[in-house]
């Protein structure tokens, strides 16, 4: 495996700094110390040729074997000196193929890839991936040197879009386009066999190199009229919707300006009617989940994001309320079928900060973690209690509940009920730390997946923003230690989401009544990198063992949205807001104290949710999945959920076994309260 090259086997980095020779030795450029009028120049060391196994050939080599003596021409060099973009061209079979890249070598490689794809049929998917400079492996290992996350199986052989406009189509030189990808594939089928995307077939469409979708569609169907449908969103994240009618069908597109929305509408028409697909960067591609029943992931992702943002707009008087100020927005949407019209927003929340240690509550009255996605999940717990309470009343109300009685005891979700988590940016911790910017067009995913820092458990900084890795030794937080000034540590959002993907989003108390519930999808409004996100939320604990029945490692659909949200500079507000379906208005919480500005406990605090649990227990104790004699302390009641606690131990062991650190728990005194207090 040591001799499998990274994705671009002919050239490694923008500066062509370290190139692997056949034997695996590397060479670095070194500066010349003197001369050149003070400008340092770089020259590569001469590489010694050492014998070694034959490496798979990249596209440049393959093309040279088939068509020796081809001449590559430099067409242009643009961009600043520190980040040039070269465009190289090569003529093959009377056709000119262009490629661009940060170096001439990369530009040549991309031109060769395009030329190859126009006439070479590879016998199998892995050979094609290797020729295109990508490695492919079925046994995913996020610490290996290969970008072998599941998303690479679904990428076809597209090269990244080579223009500044994200909506440009990349043609294969002969006007053909990659076939659309079937997102209904389940991850279990991927593990069983390599998925081979069909190679493009030549088509009769006019050559479209360098044209955007509106131009291409206009050539195929002249005289189309685009209609402006709507404008929505906050000032920093406007969303325009345009529509176009083609062949009796209407296609919509959204974007941060009308031009982009038109292009997306045209792209949608081209994809549906002419099977032309937008080239996509692998790390941007949605990663399908197991058993997802809805339409294409992108349609679902965009719909969920729009529903959450629209609901937040309603709750903040079209974003004019002072509490509309936010860094991160999160929300949960429930779907009950394949039609997005049946979708319902369950919760909306904002926030980026945690409680200050001195404000911890030993009666469960303060919110410890006011990060938006954590608050949204607490809102979901509140909603689940409401749904269980419907079973306390008459038969008619029971029919309305999302729960049905389970043959195994307790309750389970009705079939087709799914929950989708939307976060306006990547969750803090492992998912975000290595992808702090939107991916560049030529970004092919994680270039250093084997670095030790990848996957590490991280904790949030008390009453601030950002995360730090957990200590190598197990950290036990004590109540008196924190009160005397030790920083209170809270696990990062990436780590908590990974935990939900094993233990479920219902938590330990509700697991006494209901079977585990998992998110069907996680959708990011910005900073979506499929490889980092999949590693953070499930891939790093893929080796988890001995989970109790009904518990599993959930692999939800992961996706970005078409119209990524712009980054919001400036200081994050100190408050967090929350709303759950059924609430009349937003609740505003001071993240430092974990209570509202009047010092009152939140409707989402442990005390409030435990009160609801106790009321349900009094009426439905016969439906418990584990028997409790007399519930008293909050901590003791949670411990009765033995299968949940066993699953939690398996999760912590999986993190330790993978060398990712030990989970840091809050001081035990926090949970030693009863409701009689």
């Amino acid at each position: 495996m040591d001799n499998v090259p990274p994705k671009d086997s002919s050239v490694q980095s923008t500066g062509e700094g370290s190139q692997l020779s056949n034997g695996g030795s590397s060479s670095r450029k070194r500066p010349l110390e003197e001369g050149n009028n003070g400008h340092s120049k770089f020259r590569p060391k001469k590489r010694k040729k050492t014998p070694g196994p034959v490496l798979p050939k990249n596209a440049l080599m393959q093309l040279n074997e088939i068509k020796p003596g081809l001449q590559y021409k430099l067409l242009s060099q643009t961009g600043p000196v520190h980040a040039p973009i070269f465009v190289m061209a090569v003529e093959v079979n009377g056709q000119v193929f262009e490629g661009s890249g940060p170096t001439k070598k990369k530009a040549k490689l991309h031109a060769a890839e395009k030329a190859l794809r126009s006439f070479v049929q590879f016998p199998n998917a892995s050979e094609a991936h290797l020729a295109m400079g990508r490695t492919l492996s079925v046994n995913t290992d996020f610490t290996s040197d290969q970008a072998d996350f599941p998303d690479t199986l679904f990428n076809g052989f597209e090269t990244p879009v080579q223009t500044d406009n994200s909506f440009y189509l990349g043609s294969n030189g002969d006007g053909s386009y990659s076939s659309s990808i079937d997102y209904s594939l389940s991850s279990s089928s991927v593990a069983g066999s390599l998925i081979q995307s069909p190679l493009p077939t030549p088509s009769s469409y006019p050559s479209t190199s360098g044209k955007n979708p509106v131009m291409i569609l206009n050539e195929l169907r002249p005289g189309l009229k685009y209609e402006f449908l709507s404008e929505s969103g906050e000032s920093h994240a406007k969303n325009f919707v345009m529509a176009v009618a083609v062949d009796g069908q209407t296609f919509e597109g959204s974007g941060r300006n009308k031009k982009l929305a038109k292009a997306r509408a045209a792209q949608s028409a081209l994809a549906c009617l002419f099977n032309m697909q937008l080239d996509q960067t692998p790390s941007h591609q949605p990663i399908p989940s197991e058993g997802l029943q809805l339409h294409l992931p992108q349609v679902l992702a965009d719909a969920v994001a729009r529903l959450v943002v629209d609901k937040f707009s309603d709750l903040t008087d079209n974003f004019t309320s002072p509490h509309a100020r936010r860094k991160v927005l999160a929300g949960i949407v429930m779907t009950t079928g394949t039609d997005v019209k049946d979708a319902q927003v369950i919760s909306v929340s904002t926030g980026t900060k945690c409680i200050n240690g001195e404000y911890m509550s030993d009666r469960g009255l303060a919110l410890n973690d006011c990060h938006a996605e954590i608050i949204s999940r607490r809102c979901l717990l509140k909603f689940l209690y409401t749904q269980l309470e419907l079973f306390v009343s008459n038969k008619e109300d029971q029919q309305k509940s999302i729960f049905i009685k389970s043959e195994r005891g307790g309750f389970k979700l009705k079939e087709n009920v799914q929950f989708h988590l939307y976060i306006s940016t990547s969750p803090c911790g492992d998912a975000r730390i290595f992808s702090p910017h939107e991916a560049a067009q030529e970004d092919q995913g994680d270039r250093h997946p084997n670095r030790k820092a990848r996957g590490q458990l991280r904790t949030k900084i008390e009453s601030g923003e950002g995360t730090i890795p957990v200590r190598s030794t197990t950290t036990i937080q004590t109540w008196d230690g924190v009160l005397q000034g030790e920083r209170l540590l809270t696990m990062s959002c990436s780590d908590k989401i990974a935990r939900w993907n094993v233990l479920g989003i219902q938590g330990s108390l509700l697991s006494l009544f209901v079977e585990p519930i998992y998110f069907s999808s996680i959708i990011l409004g910005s900073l979506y990198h499929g490889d980092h996100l999949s590693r953070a939320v499930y891939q790093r604990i893929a080796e988890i063992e001995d989970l109790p029945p009904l518990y599993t490692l959930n692999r939800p659909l992961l996706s970005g949205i078409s119209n990524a949200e712009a980054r919001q500079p400036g200081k994050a507000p100190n408050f967090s807001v929350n709303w759950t379906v059924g609430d009349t208005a937003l609740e505003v919480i001071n993240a430092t104290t974990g209570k509202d500005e009047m010092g009152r406990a939140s409707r989402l605090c442990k005390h409030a949710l435990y009160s609801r649990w106790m009321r349900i227990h009094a009426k439905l104790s016969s439906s418990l999945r584990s028997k409790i004699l007399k519930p008293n302390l909050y901590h003791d009641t949670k411990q009765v959920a033995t299968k949940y606690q066993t699953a939690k131990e398996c999760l912590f062991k999986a993190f330790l076994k993978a060398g990712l650190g030990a989970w840091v728990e809050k001081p035990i005194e926090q949970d030693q309260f009863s409701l009689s207090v």
Side-chain angles (χ1 to χ4, degrees):
M1 288 305 281
D2 293 337
N3 289 302
V4 175
K7 294 173 193 149
D8 279 314
S9 56
S10 73
V11 9
Q12 283 276 314
S13 67
T14 309
E16 305 169 82
S18 55
Q19 296 177 339
L20 286 179
S21 69
N22 242 11
S25 66
S26 66
S27 64
R28 294 188 184 279
K29 291 182 178 175
R30 58 183 180 190
L32 293 173
E33 279 85 12
E34 50 213 347
N36 305 311
N37 300 324
H39 296 291
S40 63
K41 267 192 180 176
F42 288 86
R43 70 172 175 222
K45 274 191 197 168
K46 283 188 178 174
R47 291 184 297 168
K48 290 178 186 172
K49 286 195 175 176
T50 50
V54 180
L55 291 173
K57 295 168 182 151
N58 69 19
L60 215 54
M61 299 170 178
Q62 296 259 19
L63 187 59
N64 193 47
E65 280 187 8
I66 301 164
K67 304 274 181 192
L70 292 171
Q71 297 296 311
Y72 291 82
K73 289 180 190 164
L74 176 64
L75 293 187
S76 68
Q77 178 183 343
T78 55
V81 178
H82 64 278
I85 296 169
F86 298 91
V87 178
M88 302 290 289
V90 62
E91 190 174 324
V92 186
N93 296 342
Q95 278 185 280
V96 178
F97 298 91
E98 292 177 14
S100 67
T103 64
K104 288 178 187 175
K105 273 189 180 177
K106 271 201 176 172
K108 277 170 72 171
L109 188 71
H110 289 148
E113 283 181 8
K114 284 188 180 177
L116 261 185
R117 286 187 303 179
S118 71
F119 62 87
V120 176
Q121 291 288 315
F122 290 97
N124 59 59
S126 56
E127 188 177 317
H129 272 265
L130 289 169
M132 294 305 158
R134 290 171 208 150
T135 49
L136 187 65
S137 161
V138 186
N139 301 317
T140 303
D141 173 11
F142 74 85
T143 59
S144 82
D145 270 322
Q146 302 172 55
D148 53 6
F149 296 102
D151 60 334
T152 54
L153 293 171
F154 296 87
N155 290 335
F157 307 123
E158 298 97 353
T159 48
V161 183
Q162 299 298 349
T163 70
D164 290 333
N165 295 315
S166 59
F167 54 78
Y168 269 73
L169 283 162
S171 83
N172 292 327
D174 57 359
S176 63
Y177 289 80
S178 300
S179 302
S180 58
I181 299 158
D182 178 9
Y183 285 108
S184 62
L185 291 163
S186 72
S187 52
S188 55
S189 67
V190 175
S193 63
L194 286 175
I195 306 303
Q196 183 174 351
S197 294
L199 282 165
T201 52
S203 75
S204 56
Y205 300 131
S207 176
T208 53
S209 184
K211 295 174 185 171
N212 76 28
V214 176
M215 293 160 71
I216 300 160
L217 187 59
N218 194 49
E219 284 182 20
L220 297 164
R221 296 285 186 275
L224 294 172
K225 291 275 192 292
Y226 289 81
E227 189 186 348
F228 171 57
L229 293 186
S230 68
E231 175 187 342
S232 61
E234 297 150 282
S235 56
H236 64 271
K238 282 278 182 220
N239 190 54
F240 297 88
V241 181
M242 301 289 287
V244 62
V246 188
D247 295 353
Q249 292 185 57
T250 301
F251 298 93
E252 289 183 14
S254 66
R256 60 172 67 112
N257 55 47
K258 290 179 185 175
K259 186 178 175 184
L260 193 53
K262 271 175 74 171
R264 293 230 169 93
Q267 169 57 30
S268 178
L270 288 169
C272 180
L273 301 175
F274 304 102
N275 201 28
M276 295 185 186
Q277 294 299 318
L278 190 65
D279 272 353
Q280 285 185 300
T281 306
S283 72
H284 285 180
Q285 296 232 357
I287 302 175
S289 77
E290 207 168 334
L292 189 83
Q293 296 302 311
L294 287 115
H295 353 42
L296 284 177
Q298 202 59 68
V299 178
L300 168 73
D302 292 346
V304 166
R306 195 177 305 169
L307 284 165
V308 172
V309 173
D310 287 351
K311 176 53 75 175
F312 186 55
S313 170
D314 293 346
L315 292 164
T316 56
D317 299 323
N318 199 20
F319 312 114
T320 57
S321 150
H323 297 121
R325 210 161 59 85
R326 53 92 177 178
K327 274 269 194 180
V328 180
L329 169 69
I332 293 169
V333 170
M334 179 177 76
T335 55
T336 51
T338 55
D339 196 338
V340 176
K341 289 188 183 71
D342 299 329
Q344 183 182 18
V345 180
I346 301 303
S347 65
V348 174
S349 57
T350 66
T352 56
K353 297 189 177 176
C354 292
I355 195 171
N356 191 309
E358 65 186 280
Y359 291 103
M360 284 190 309
S361 169
D362 58 359
R363 294 193 294 150
L365 298 172
L367 292 177
N368 291 321
D369 187 342
C370 280
H371 282 234
E373 51 269 60
I374 308 306
I375 293 296
S376 256
R377 181 258 179 176
R378 291 196 76 78
C379 291
L380 178 62
L381 295 180
K382 187 157 126 2
F383 171 73
L384 295 177
Y385 279 117
T386 304
Q387 294 298 308
L388 268 182
E389 283 162 359
L390 291 173
F391 270 88
V392 175
S393 50
N394 57 43
K395 277 271 188 284
E396 199 177 313
D397 280 349
Q398 289 183 21
Q399 295 295 313
K400 291 179 193 164
S401 175
I402 60 167
F403 290 113
I404 52 171
K405 291 207 165 169
S406 169
E407 59 281 6
R408 292 176 285 267
F411 301 92
K412 65 178 181 182
L413 281 183
K414 283 178 178 169
E415 213 175 339
N416 294 333
V417 172
Q418 295 186 330
F419 294 106
H420 311 275
L421 172 66
Y422 169 76
I423 318 168
S424 63
T425 188
S426 53
C428 68
D430 189 49
R432 192 193 301 166
I433 193 79
F434 305 108
S435 52
H437 308 289
E438 295 295 349
Q441 295 291 7
E442 65 276 356
D443 183 14
Q444 290 288 325
D446 190 358
R447 293 186 181 279
H448 308 284
N450 60 336
R451 284 193 176 158
K452 188 175 184 294
R454 297 290 193 263
Q456 290 289 315
L457 288 172
R458 303 177 71 87
T459 60
K460 297 165 185 171
I461 293 169
E462 178 187 291
S463 65
E465 293 181 89
T467 60
I468 52 173
V470 296
R471 292 187 189 135
S472 49
T473 53
T474 305
T475 304
I476 296 173
Q477 303 199 84
T478 60
W479 186 266
D480 44 358
V482 171
L483 292 182
Q484 282 167 26
E486 268 187 39
R487 275 198 153 176
L488 180 67
L489 301 177
T490 302
M491 297 305 293
S492 75
C493 292
S494 291
D495 301 332
K496 289 188 176 185
I497 294 170
R499 174 181 172 132
W500 301 339
N501 275 331
V502 172
L503 305 183
I505 46 188
Q506 77 295 321
S508 56
L509 284 183
L510 271 170
S511 74
L512 288 162
F513 284 109
V514 304
E515 295 179 0
I517 299 167
Y518 296 103
F519 280 127
S520 295
S521 65
I522 298 171
I523 293 147
L524 302 189
S526 61
L527 298 187
Y528 170 75
H529 292 247
D531 40 20
H532 292 302
L533 186 62
S534 60
R535 178 192 63 239
V537 302
Y538 59 74
Q539 201 63 52
R540 54 181 168 158
I541 43 172
E543 302 300 313
I544 194 163
E545 297 171 321
D546 305 325
L547 284 169
L550 301 179
Y551 288 91
T552 184
L553 176 59
N554 177 50
R555 291 175 167 85
L557 158 77
L558 306 177
S559 180
I561 61 172
S562 301
N563 187 24
E565 191 175 276
R567 181 176 168 270
Q568 294 166 63
K571 199 167 180 286
N574 208 38
F575 59 79
S576 158
V577 305
N578 70 75
W579 172 90
T580 312
V581 63
D583 290 342
T584 51
L586 288 171
E587 176 182 67
V588 183
I589 296 297
N590 178 335
T592 304
T593 63
K595 296 179 180 177
D596 74 7
E597 292 301 349
M598 309 285 289
R600 293 172 301 204
S602 166
R603 56 197 179 191
L604 301 176
C605 70
K606 291 176 180 179
H607 194 282
L609 295 182
Y610 189 36
S611 300
R612 294 191 72 172
W613 186 92
M614 291 288 271
R615 284 205 301 275
I616 290 170
H617 175 262
K619 305 272 177 60
L620 294 175
S621 55
S622 59
S623 298
L624 278 170
R625 297 173 71 231
S626 301
K627 294 294 174 246
I628 299 178
L629 293 172
K630 186 176 181 296
N632 187 16
L633 287 183
Y634 178 74
H635 172 267
D636 294 352
T637 306
K638 288 170 81 167
Q639 292 303 311
V640 175
T642 48
K643 287 197 170 63
Y644 182 94
Q645 298 301 336
T646 304
K648 188 163 82 168
E649 289 308 311
C650 294
L651 172 75
F652 293 173
K653 273 185 202 155
F655 277 120
L656 282 170
K657 199 172 163 189
L660 303 176
W663 193 277
V664 180
E665 299 207 74
K666 292 279 191 304
I668 195 168
E669 289 85 353
Q670 272 210 354
D671 290 349
Q672 305 281 359
F673 66 89
S674 64
L675 292 182
S676 53
V677 175

